[in-house]
Amino acid sequence: MHRFVAKLTLLLCLAAVSANAAQDATLNFLVLKDFNGKPIRNASVILHPVNKAGKQSKGGLQLKTNPEGKANYVGVPFGKLRVQVIAPGFQTFGDDFDIDKPEQQIVIKMQRPKDQYSIYK
């Protein structure tokens, strides 16, 4: 009887791990300069979960891009995700993405800051 309980417990644990793995995604980010397509190194890629009401949930995660402008994260739960990218000399990027596949590639093209207008010029 003890062996049966041990096997049943092991099967239930494996089923739980498999169910969770099926609900997590691997995200691959590529951050590029909009004007020439070259990678941006050391850009901050900030991930925030978004709840069903569309509000940003507490918590989050920050990644840094490598010299090829790439960053990745394994284990992102399916659902809405708010992505913000910050890099010196570029406009801050922000958008929400639906994470619904086991692996997703997200390409972000960063733009230079726009000129500011003033009535005093």
Side-chain angles (χ1 to χ4, degrees):
M1 182 68 162
H2 179 68
R3 291 181 100 183
F4 174 74
V5 172
K7 286 182 181 181
L8 182 61
T9 303
L10 179 62
L11 285 174
L12 290 174
C13 288
L14 288 174
V17 168
S18 296
N20 286 341
Q23 295 301 312
D24 288 345
T26 298
L27 298 182
N28 299 302
F29 295 95
L30 178 59
V31 181
L32 304 171
K33 297 175 184 176
D34 182 54
F35 55 91
N36 66 6
K38 291 188 178 180
I40 299 176
R41 62 178 275 172
N42 245 7
S44 292
V45 179
I46 304 157
L47 312 177
H48 291 285
V50 177
N51 65 25
K52 293 185 182 193
K55 297 198 180 230
Q56 183 173 303
S57 301
K58 289 185 179 182
L61 176 74
Q62 179 178 351
L63 309 170
K64 289 285 193 174
T65 58
N66 65 16
E68 290 84 37
K70 296 178 181 180
N72 65 5
Y73 190 73
V74 177
V76 176
F78 280 21
K80 261 206 192 306
L81 185 69
R82 184 158 294 148
V83 176
Q84 181 181 21
V85 181
I86 301 170
F90 294 91
Q91 286 183 344
T92 298
F93 171 89
D95 203 358
D96 290 352
F97 293 88
D98 286 318
I99 308 305
D100 57 0
K101 294 180 226 149
E103 188 162 347
Q104 284 187 246
Q105 171 94 6
I106 298 174
V107 178
I108 297 165
K109 295 184 178 181
M110 302 289 286
Q111 297 180 355
R112 290 182 174 157
K114 304 278 188 231
D115 288 337
Q116 294 183 358
Y117 296 96
S118 170
I119 61 171
Y120 301 106
K121 283 189 176 182

